[in-house]
Amino acid sequence: MVQVSTAYISASVNRYSQAGSSSASSLTAFGSSKYVALWNTADATGRGVYQTLPGHEGLVTCTYFARDDLLLSGDDRGFMRCWQLKDNEARLEHWKAAYSFRAHDKGLSCLHHHDRTLATGSSDGSVKIWTLVDSSTGEFKEAQTIDLRGKYPLSVRLTTLLNSQAAVLAIGGTDKNVQVWTRSDDSFVRSAILSGHEDWVRGLDFHSYESEGQSLILASGSQDSTIRLWKFEMYSRNTSRATDSADASLSDDLLDAFESSLGTLGDAEEGGRQISMKRHILTVKSSEGSTQQFSITFDALLVGHEAGITSLAWRPTINSNSNEDNLTLLSTSTDSSLILWSPSTIISTAQGDSTAIWINRQRFGDVGGQRLGGFVGGLWSRGGAEALAWGWSGGWRRWRCAAESSNDEEVWAEVGAVTGHNGPVRGIAWSPSGEYLISTSLDQTTRIHGPVPLEDGDTTPVWHELARPQVHGYDLIDVVPLDPFRFVSIADEKVVRVFEAPQTFVDALVGLKVANLPSEDETERPAAASVPPLGLSNKAVKDASIVSTAYDWNAVHRRPFEAELSSMTLWPEIEKVFGHGYESISLAASTNKKLIATACKSTTAEHAVVRVFDTQQWQPVGQPLGGHSLTVTRIAFSPDDRYILTVSRDRSWRLFEAQPDSGFAPVAADKSHGRIIWDCAWAHEGDVFATASRDKTVRIWHPEDEGRKWSSVATLKTKEAATAVAFTLEENRKRRLAVGTETGEITIYKNATTSVSDWQLECTIDRRLTHIDHIYRLAWRPVMEGMQSQLACCSEDGTLKILVVR
């Protein structure tokens, strides 16, 4: 019985400010393409995403934990899904899709749940209120629709007013105001409009004190780069008169007149609508039927970010007896910074009383502002012990509160987090001995992923992204390593580029114990690489400290973080190879790594050729290999490098044989497939090869007449179009063939007999472990003694996975 598990999932966060959320049990969920990805931040091994939940048909825009065992998610098609954790065990088999419904006609932009009430906002210009009907399944029933009259909601928050059963709803959006709605007779009515922001309100969050007599605080963050705090308090006219005894004539009417006069102050930095002291009065019904009044006043203006605010989150209250000490607000911005705000009590000597001034306690992120789009969103994890944020490129960054210093100041340090491609992953390949996996994506990056052994001696290493050797200006299509220190990549351009590892990468592999690399007697490697302004080629750098002084390259003790990956782990480019007239589309390297073969996009036979180059001088070998009439989709060298196999959009495959003098000559061809052939692969013995086609078949081909003719000896039918194939050889000489489809399904066939036509279906891998979209490549890890079979796969859904097949 074949057992399959997941060793590694590389997944990024979608570019939505509410795509991520965290539960009280330190489980972080986030939208990754059409998945909901799960990451246990309390995992001591440092493992990243351990499961992806398929089900959405659109991009997941928002997630929220209603409870530790109930997760809500919404997508850009307007659908909501409720996920239930069965048996209270956070394992793969126990997260189930419990309930799904269409919440809006257009995509969801925000959602929030509080006390059996759900609020959802959408780009259709409405906010809907839902009531939880069945807590066991997460079934909700629509209770109310709030029309925002052409404005879009960007953030919604629900809570209960203090010392009351009344629910309050805050809505922030494109009208620059914060709308406050209170529940009356089972429906929400608009009670106040909080003005002051000068741009869209993108973030809201409530913070309430559990102790008697404390305030409810609403934080609002805007694209005008400011944060405003609004205080909700019990209101009585007697208290108001006593408070205003110094000037009894000061009324809301006078404050309105004062605010309107501020608008005539011109372009003063704090002029216009920056100051709003008006008191808003809310009247709500209590549970006994009487009425209660609450006041909303502007409490503080937090200025520190240099660009728009993207998200706000109050720190979870750890100890209810010391609320004032734990009052901390997290904010993220497109200026690439994350700030932790908290009040500092100031004693006034003239009056003898005290007040609170909000100050910037901690600032994380990058200096320089708006690099790579800044932070999209942020949240707290592990009960407020960790602050998380994700950026425009989809990578997470994480800071952990390590300890408190002698002056009661918290000490924070950055730790490793989750990374992943934020676009379709088109190419993957193992290094020749399987030390690491390299991938390319339409997000214009090439990434290296490797297994890092744990310090406690655990035999199971944890996979991480170790380097980002190429950050390009074009969408990257494919990659092949020539050895552990060189690779060739192609992009949506006419140039083939060759890269060589810098000394920093070699030191990192050895320092992290990823691989025991042999010593080399060759010229000294460059220390690192950098990209010149407006350039596409990585240039060698002799001194790594020029690139960064923050990462200790000489004594590597940890993997690089997201910011370091994107700027410090580049490889120098050592060669460019030209020849094709259109953008590159396929690439392959010979088994001995002495040759590479390339092809480009084509609609004519003139350009549908394969060009072969040597990897020493990078000169053409022989004449271009012709015969196809449309784009060559895949190229594969036979294990003994005798043949080059090509498949094409013209539904045919062609075989070229190496010649004694130079180059390759055509020896066989076939056009049996009825649709485009997406992929091809050779068995390790070289006696058969497979072709995968859109006609929902995989054909196995075997030679006749000394290789002059190849016939189909087996036809494997798939449920959907076959898009990727890969062979492996087990220790017991049993051959396996993995087949991927355009819907993300992976099946494994076995050939345990001497007959090349005897292929049996061994297993169909659980869809929760594979993909939900077009699989581009499958690659078995080179067999190592004592190691279980590992299959790498990549997909249009933006994820890269490594599966362990037992």
Side-chain angles (χ1 to χ4, degrees):
M1 182 66 182
V2 177
Q3 294 181 337
V4 181
S5 60
T6 304
Y8 176 59
I9 300 176
S10 171
S12 65
V13 200
N14 292 335
R15 292 171 179 170
Y16 298 95
S17 61
Q18 299 191 35
S21 62
S22 187
S23 71
S25 60
S26 302
L27 181 62
T28 298
F30 59 90
S32 180
S33 184
K34 300 176 183 179
Y35 288 112
V36 176
L38 300 177
W39 169 30
N40 182 8
T41 56
D43 188 344
T45 65
R47 185 184 183 189
V49 175
Y50 70 89
Q51 184 182 2
T52 51
L53 305 178
H56 283 282
E57 295 183 358
L59 296 178
V60 178
T61 59
C62 38
T63 61
Y64 189 79
F65 278 97
R67 300 188 306 264
D68 281 354
D69 61 347
L70 180 61
L71 172 63
L72 309 176
S73 60
D75 62 34
D76 64 355
R77 295 192 178 187
F79 284 90
M80 283 281 303
R81 293 185 75 87
C82 305
W83 309 89
Q84 193 80 24
L85 183 61
K86 302 295 184 181
D87 300 330
N88 295 323
E89 293 184 24
R91 295 180 59 190
L92 174 68
E93 297 80 14
H94 293 84
W95 277 102
K96 305 288 184 181
Y99 188 69
S100 176
F101 61 96
R102 177 152 202 156
H104 293 267
D105 293 332
K106 295 184 178 180
L108 272 78
S109 56
C110 50
L111 66 86
H112 192 253
H113 179 273
H114 176 74
D115 192 22
R116 303 183 69 87
T117 301
L118 171 68
T120 58
S122 166
S123 56
D124 62 9
S126 70
V127 172
K128 290 187 178 183
I129 307 299
W130 308 80
T131 302
L132 183 62
V133 178
D134 187 348
S135 60
S136 63
T137 63
E139 180 180 353
F140 286 89
K141 179 181 179 181
E142 183 178 347
Q144 184 182 357
T145 299
I146 299 174
D147 187 2
L148 299 184
R149 300 181 180 181
K151 302 298 183 180
Y152 296 155
L154 300 175
S155 183
V156 293
R157 281 296 182 269
L158 285 162
T159 192
T160 303
L161 289 171
L162 294 173
N163 303 316
S164 168
Q165 300 297 318
V168 59
L169 167 68
I171 304 173
T174 59
D175 62 353
K176 305 180 184 179
N177 299 319
V178 179
Q179 297 186 24
V180 178
W181 296 65
T182 55
R183 178 174 281 166
S184 177
D185 297 329
D186 296 329
S187 64
F188 283 89
V189 295
R190 192 168 69 180
S191 302
I193 296 180
L194 310 180
S195 59
H197 285 296
E198 298 178 348
D199 209 332
W200 294 0
V201 179
R202 300 189 63 91
L204 295 172
D205 202 20
F206 278 110
H207 187 283
S208 60
Y209 292 108
E210 297 178 5
S211 55
E212 198 72 27
Q214 296 287 358
S215 304
L216 173 70
I217 300 178
L218 171 64
S220 61
S222 166
Q223 286 190 171
D224 63 11
S225 76
T226 65
I227 301 169
R228 289 173 176 263
L229 303 183
W230 311 87
K231 184 175 289 187
F232 290 62
E233 297 176 298
M234 292 286 292
Y235 174 78
S236 67
R237 294 190 177 276
N238 294 332
T239 304
S240 178
R241 291 193 184 97
T243 304
D244 298 336
S245 60
D247 187 359
S249 62
L250 185 62
S251 65
D252 286 344
D253 293 336
L254 289 176
L255 286 173
D256 288 342
F258 171 66
E259 290 173 21
S260 64
S261 68
L262 290 176
T264 64
L265 294 180
D267 297 329
E269 183 178 352
E270 299 298 333
R273 301 171 60 192
Q274 286 290 329
I275 302 175
S276 177
M277 302 301 296
K278 179 178 179 179
R279 177 186 288 113
H280 303 269
I281 306 300
L282 304 181
T283 302
V284 298
K285 291 184 179 181
S286 65
S287 57
E288 294 80 14
S290 60
T291 61
Q292 291 176 288
Q293 286 190 320
F294 294 83
S295 67
I296 309 176
T297 54
F298 171 70
D299 187 54
L301 178 68
L302 279 54
V303 179
H305 285 292
E306 300 174 358
I309 309 297
T310 54
S311 70
L312 296 173
W314 289 101
R315 191 174 192 173
T317 302
I318 302 174
N319 185 353
S320 61
N321 296 324
S322 58
N323 286 301
E324 191 69 30
D325 295 336
N326 292 325
L327 193 61
T328 305
L329 178 66
L330 179 154
S331 63
T332 59
S333 167
T334 55
D335 66 2
S336 297
S337 70
L338 181 152
I339 294 180
L340 303 184
W341 308 84
S342 60
S344 176
T345 302
I346 305 298
I347 299 177
S348 173
T349 57
Q351 302 294 332
D353 57 359
S354 62
T355 184
I357 295 178
W358 286 80
I359 62 173
N360 176 344
R361 294 281 189 187
Q362 301 282 346
R363 188 183 187 101
F364 310 129
D366 301 315
V367 178
Q370 302 198 52
R371 186 174 66 83
L372 299 177
F375 287 130
V376 176
L379 51 87
W380 294 96
S381 180
R382 302 187 68 179
E386 291 185 352
L388 311 179
W390 64 93
W392 187 255
S393 61
W396 285 88
R397 296 186 68 180
R398 174 165 61 152
W399 293 270
R400 179 177 297 161
C401 183
E404 292 189 0
S405 61
S406 57
N407 59 353
D408 294 332
E409 286 289 332
E410 293 179 333
V411 177
W412 292 77
E414 186 169 3
V415 294
V418 170
T419 63
H421 288 288
N422 66 336
V425 185
R426 292 291 298 270
I428 54 173
W430 292 96
S431 60
S433 299
E435 297 95 345
Y436 59 79
L437 180 71
I438 187 167
S439 62
T440 57
S441 166
L442 300 190
D443 68 358
Q444 303 183 349
T445 65
T446 299
R447 308 188 184 209
I448 290 177
H449 317 260
V452 178
L454 299 177
E455 294 181 359
D456 58 5
D458 192 326
T459 57
T460 304
V462 178
W463 285 81
H464 298 295
E465 183 180 336
L466 302 179
R468 207 165 293 175
Q470 186 182 10
V471 179
H472 205 39
Y474 291 96
D475 295 350
L476 285 154
I477 305 299
D478 207 354
V479 62
V480 292
L482 299 179
D483 55 51
F485 310 112
R486 287 190 304 161
F487 72 81
V488 182
S489 70
I490 58 173
D492 195 21
E493 58 175 348
K494 302 175 185 179
V495 185
V496 179
R497 298 175 186 268
V498 187
F499 297 83
E500 186 171 14
Q503 189 60 43
T504 51
F505 176 77
V506 179
D507 293 342
L509 286 190
V510 176
L512 292 172
K513 301 179 181 178
V514 174
N516 294 320
L517 301 176
S519 59
E520 296 183 338
D521 297 329
E522 60 178 66
T523 58
E524 184 179 354
R525 296 181 179 276
S530 64
V531 180
L534 303 180
L536 288 175
S537 300
N538 299 349
K539 301 299 183 182
V541 175
K542 294 184 178 180
D543 185 2
S545 63
I546 297 176
V547 180
S548 173
T549 58
Y551 192 76
D552 188 359
W553 298 105
N554 296 321
V556 178
H557 59 280
R558 61 164 176 82
R559 60 189 174 98
F561 302 145
E562 171 67 21
E564 296 164 343
L565 285 168
S566 60
S567 60
M568 304 180 207
T569 59
L570 293 173
W571 287 24
E573 182 178 318
I574 61 172
E575 192 67 54
K576 294 183 180 69
V577 182
F578 300 88
H580 290 290
Y582 291 94
E583 292 83 357
S584 302
I585 196 68
S586 54
L587 170 70
S590 62
T591 306
N592 60 18
K593 309 302 179 183
K594 294 182 178 180
L595 301 174
I596 64 166
T598 63
C600 70
K601 296 178 182 178
S602 175
T603 56
T604 63
E606 177 185 0
H607 293 283
V609 296
V610 174
R611 298 180 184 272
V612 182
F613 302 88
D614 73 88
T615 59
Q616 297 300 318
Q617 302 298 323
W618 301 104
Q619 296 299 312
V621 175
Q623 295 298 314
L625 311 182
H628 290 291
S629 59
L630 294 174
T631 303
V632 174
T633 54
R634 194 74 76 217
I635 308 168
F637 283 84
S638 63
D640 59 2
D641 293 330
R642 177 184 175 186
Y643 297 107
I644 293 179
L645 172 65
T646 62
V647 295
S648 166
R649 297 182 67 93
D650 64 11
R651 309 177 184 183
S652 70
W653 61 259
R654 290 184 172 272
L655 204 59
F656 303 86
E657 187 176 15
Q659 300 301 300
D661 50 355
S662 178
F664 290 77
V667 291
D670 186 271
K671 201 172 183 180
S672 299
H673 282 291
R675 302 291 297 274
I676 176 178
I677 305 177
W678 281 120
D679 199 9
C680 61
W682 287 89
H684 285 67
E685 299 84 354
D687 57 338
V688 295
F689 66 81
T691 54
S693 170
R694 184 181 281 172
D695 63 10
K696 300 182 181 180
T697 64
V698 172
R699 292 178 180 264
I700 309 296
W701 303 86
H702 185 65
E704 298 178 359
D705 190 21
E706 297 182 353
R708 298 297 172 181
K709 181 181 179 181
W710 293 66
S711 59
S712 175
V713 295
T715 301
L716 312 177
K717 295 185 178 181
T718 57
K719 295 180 180 178
E720 303 294 339
T723 56
V725 287
F727 284 96
T728 189
L729 180 64
E730 302 295 320
E731 292 181 354
N732 56 5
R733 310 303 296 175
K734 178 179 70 175
R735 288 197 283 199
R736 277 176 169 163
L737 172 65
V739 179
T741 69
E742 67 177 2
T743 57
E745 184 180 68
I746 296 178
T747 53
I748 296 179
Y749 294 85
K750 65 178 180 179
N751 173 223
T753 65
T754 56
S755 172
V756 295
S757 61
D758 183 18
W759 292 87
Q760 303 295 325
L761 178 63
E762 190 171 24
C763 76
T764 298
I765 301 178
D766 192 318
R767 293 299 300 274
R768 292 173 296 179
L769 296 174
T770 59
H771 297 278
I772 55 176
D773 214 331
H774 186 120
I775 293 178
Y776 284 110
R777 298 299 295 267
L778 295 172
W780 292 93
R781 189 176 185 182
V783 177
M784 299 182 185
E785 186 177 354
M787 181 181 294
Q788 297 169 332
S789 296
Q790 295 184 353
L791 175 65
C793 48
C794 64
S795 167
E796 177 74 20
D797 64 21
T799 62
L800 179 158
K801 299 184 178 183
I802 297 178
L803 306 176
V804 179
V805 182
R806 299 180 179 89

